[in-house]
Amino acid sequence: MTGADQKPLGTAPADAPPHPHLLSTMPTGAKVFLILVASLLPLAVIAMLTNLRTTRFADAEAQARLSAAAQESSGALATTLANHVAELREGLGALERNPNDAPSCTRVAGALAAYSETGTRFSIADATGTVLCGRRLNLSSFAQPRAGEVRATVTGDGLALRVGGASGSSATVFYPAVALAQLARPSGFVPDYGSALVLEDGERLTLRALAKDSRVVRHETARTELGIEGLSLQMTMPGAPITGPLLIATALLIMMWLAAAAIGWFVVDRLLIRPLRRLRRIVRDYQPGEVIDPTIYGHLPAAEIRELGDTFRDISRTVQAHEAELAEGLVRQTRLTREVHHRVKNNLQVIASLINFHARGAKSVEATEAYASIQRRVDALAVVHRHHYAEMEETRGLELRSVIGELASNIRATAPDRTATLGITLEVEPFLVTQDTAVAVSFLLTEIIELAMSCNPAAQIRISMKGLPESNRATLRVVSPALIDSPQLAVLLDNRYSRVMTGLARQLRTQLHHDPLSGAYDTSIAVTGKP
């Protein structure tokens, strides 16, 4: 194999049919539906983007309001807490220097007096826990901050801030959640909101809880640092709600998108696809000789399909008329052929009768035998023609066994008186052959039998035919002691019979073999089957 003939492994042959695409195997209705869905999808996307843009604008507006409110609230709360921490740090320093410094204590109390009604309390204590100013606060464990450090913690329902002093003293202030909520309330902020203080370690103190809403609501959140030990204010407000009308509008949009595709598919299916399937079923069930009626399954709604159905009907009528003409012509042709065969058969009988008439008037034995030889060949042709005429209606072929049997009977009947002991034995299997093969076989058998009769008038001849392993071939064999090699046989073959027998074998497209020791002639002939 040359390099040009080599193909890489896994390469498909050039004439391999292409693999069918998925769309090519889908029904037309499904294709139409998918095309309509894809065509209408941009409109649905545009409408959805418009809704999303409107919602985004509402969210941006809500976020802006929330940021402004968070800045205002965190600013007020950070300022207040920073002032209180400064007062506590200053009072703590003064009391550390002089535990009996009453003016400093009064100043701190005055700074926090405005928030005392809401439950705000403070306490300044030394390292031993003795309260130097304010009143004792019963708070949970609170880590002692370093000097000047401020720590915050959520305790109970409020926030506690502790300022560390020198030598273990501290100043603590407690703000209830209500007080801090008032401090963190933005002025003129009408929308509902929620707020909470968030410590650095994740602790939270809810100042105002956001009211629950049964609607699907998204929340906007803003977080602002207060500048005190990681303390921050977190404010939350509802964003643009996903209301029932919005959900209904979105659902209707999707439904309209699918409905438009479904309506388009329904129209195409009813007006085109289903009528075409109906017309295809009518054409598929069409039988030659019938007339296609496109309205047999109902009215066709599309004018173009009706015109196509009318075209099929006209074509079927034309085919019906042509078939009727062909059938009539076939009848005439059959009648004419039968008449021709009948006349040929009669003519052959007339020729045989004339030869027989002249043979009776012959003056010598040689002339009589010559007339008989000619008559045998005419009889061979007449036998084949008569059997072909009988089989003409079925056109299966000629049954060769019947032809050979009748041919042997005619040869014995027309044999000279000196060949009264002539014997012909038949072992022929039933085979069908064409007319040309039957004519050639009949003439070949006539020549071989006459050759045997010329060598030995009392010859005993056996004719056999058996099938070969190939279903379309059979072996024809003629055996007689008169056909064993002899000087007389050689003379007859050279002067007369060899050329005729070789020509007949050539007409059969085969070879004729002679076994001079057994006196057998055999050849292979084509057959068309068995009856």
Side-chain angles (χ1 to χ4, degrees):
M1 179 182 295
T2 63
D5 296 333
Q6 294 178 354
K7 295 182 179 180
L9 295 178
T11 303
D15 55 351
H19 184 70
H21 195 270
L22 177 61
L23 288 178
S24 62
T25 60
M26 292 179 61
T28 304
K31 292 180 184 177
V32 171
F33 181 76
L34 291 179
I35 291 173
L36 291 174
V37 168
S39 301
L40 296 175
L41 181 59
L43 298 179
V45 171
I46 291 173
M48 291 291 294
L49 291 177
T50 302
N51 288 340
L52 291 176
R53 187 177 179 83
T54 302
T55 304
R56 191 177 296 113
F57 285 156
D59 291 342
E61 183 180 356
Q63 184 67 39
R65 291 198 307 268
L66 178 62
S67 298
Q71 291 294 334
E72 180 184 354
S73 298
S74 61
L77 191 59
T79 300
T80 302
L81 295 181
N83 291 335
H84 291 177
V85 168
E87 292 291 341
L88 289 174
R89 186 179 285 115
E90 184 178 350
L92 177 60
L95 290 176
E96 281 180 338
R97 292 189 296 270
N98 182 10
N100 298 319
D101 190 353
S104 296
C105 180
T106 303
R107 188 168 51 252
V108 174
L112 296 175
Y115 304 97
S116 60
E117 295 181 357
T118 59
T120 300
R121 302 185 302 276
F122 77 97
S123 174
I124 299 176
D126 57 12
T128 61
T130 303
V131 176
L132 302 177
C133 183
R135 55 181 179 175
R136 184 178 298 278
L137 300 176
N138 296 321
L139 302 177
S140 58
S141 59
F142 205 151
Q144 177 66 28
R146 295 188 298 272
E149 183 184 7
V150 180
R151 287 192 176 183
T153 186
V154 175
T155 175
D157 58 349
L159 174 71
L161 298 178
R162 176 167 290 181
V163 180
S167 65
S169 60
S170 62
T172 306
V173 60
F174 172 77
Y175 299 97
V178 177
L180 294 174
Q182 291 180 357
L183 286 173
R185 180 177 180 84
S187 60
F189 195 70
V190 178
D192 189 21
Y193 69 96
S195 60
L197 290 175
V198 182
L199 275 65
E200 190 175 9
D201 58 0
E203 286 188 288
R204 302 174 55 89
L205 175 63
T206 301
L207 304 182
R208 178 186 174 92
L210 190 62
K212 294 184 178 180
D213 197 335
S214 59
R215 300 173 298 177
V216 180
V217 180
R218 294 171 295 106
H219 296 92
E220 301 289 343
T221 302
R223 186 168 178 173
T224 307
E225 298 293 333
L226 299 180
I228 299 177
E229 202 63 34
L231 187 64
S232 60
L233 174 66
Q234 179 178 300
M235 293 192 69
T236 305
M237 68 170 295
I242 303 176
T243 59
L246 181 60
L247 293 176
I248 293 174
T250 304
L252 286 177
L253 181 63
I254 297 175
M255 291 176 61
M256 289 176 62
W257 169 44
L258 296 177
I263 292 172
W265 167 82
F266 179 79
V267 172
V268 172
D269 182 73
R270 287 304 180 106
L271 292 182
L272 296 178
I273 299 176
R274 189 170 297 183
L276 284 175
R277 288 177 182 164
R278 191 188 311 160
L279 187 60
R280 173 184 173 275
R281 186 163 55 250
I282 295 172
V283 175
R284 181 194 61 195
D285 297 338
Y286 166 75
Q287 297 294 332
E290 297 179 352
V291 176
I292 295 178
D293 184 10
T295 61
I296 188 173
Y297 293 115
H299 178 69
L300 299 176
E304 293 78 5
I305 300 180
R306 287 200 301 271
E307 293 175 357
L308 180 61
D310 294 338
T311 302
F312 279 126
R313 178 165 50 198
D314 295 339
I315 292 175
S316 63
R317 286 175 177 172
T318 303
V319 172
Q320 185 185 42
H322 287 176
E323 288 189 349
E325 293 177 0
L326 290 175
E328 184 179 355
L330 180 62
V331 171
R332 290 197 303 268
Q333 185 68 27
T334 303
R335 190 181 299 115
L336 180 60
T337 304
R338 293 176 65 89
E339 181 65 22
V340 170
H341 278 282
H342 183 69
R343 292 187 180 187
V344 171
K345 183 183 68 173
N346 292 341
N347 291 337
L348 290 175
Q349 290 177 353
V350 170
I351 293 173
S353 299
L354 290 175
I355 293 174
N356 189 25
F357 177 77
H358 286 284
R360 291 175 184 175
K363 301 299 184 180
S364 64
V365 176
E366 290 80 3
T368 301
E369 291 183 356
Y371 278 120
S373 178
I374 296 173
Q375 187 174 6
R376 281 192 290 272
R377 285 156 179 80
V378 173
D379 287 342
L381 183 60
V383 167
V384 174
H385 190 78
R386 184 164 55 253
H387 280 270
H388 177 70
Y389 179 77
E391 296 289 340
M392 189 177 61
E393 295 296 335
E394 299 182 4
T395 64
R396 298 179 305 161
L398 279 76
E399 188 176 353
L400 196 57
R401 182 168 64 177
S402 301
V403 174
I404 294 175
E406 188 173 348
L407 179 66
S409 299
N410 289 342
I411 291 176
R412 280 195 296 264
T414 59
D417 294 338
R418 60 187 179 87
T419 60
T421 58
L422 175 68
I424 301 178
T425 305
L426 301 180
E427 296 179 3
V428 180
E429 295 181 3
F431 285 103
L432 298 175
V433 296
T434 63
Q435 182 185 10
D436 294 338
T437 302
V439 171
V441 169
S442 299
F443 282 148
L444 180 62
L445 290 177
T446 302
E447 295 293 333
I448 295 175
I449 293 173
E450 188 169 311
L451 174 62
M453 291 167 53
S454 300
C455 294
N456 183 5
Q460 300 298 314
I461 304 170
R462 183 168 62 90
I463 302 174
S464 64
M465 188 170 66
K466 296 182 179 180
L468 292 174
E470 300 88 353
S471 59
N472 58 347
R473 306 292 294 182
T475 298
L476 178 64
R477 184 179 180 87
V478 181
V479 182
S480 176
L483 298 177
I484 296 176
D485 192 18
S486 65
Q488 184 181 5
L489 179 66
V491 172
L492 290 173
L493 288 173
D494 292 339
N495 294 337
R496 178 179 176 183
Y497 291 97
S498 178
R499 184 182 304 172
V500 177
M501 290 163 53
T502 302
L504 291 172
R506 190 179 298 114
Q507 184 177 348
L508 289 171
R509 299 174 185 253
T510 185
Q511 292 182 351
L512 183 64
H513 302 282
H514 178 222
D515 186 358
L517 299 179
S518 62
Y521 277 95
D522 61 84
T523 185
S524 173
I525 63 173
V527 297
T528 59
K530 289 188 175 182

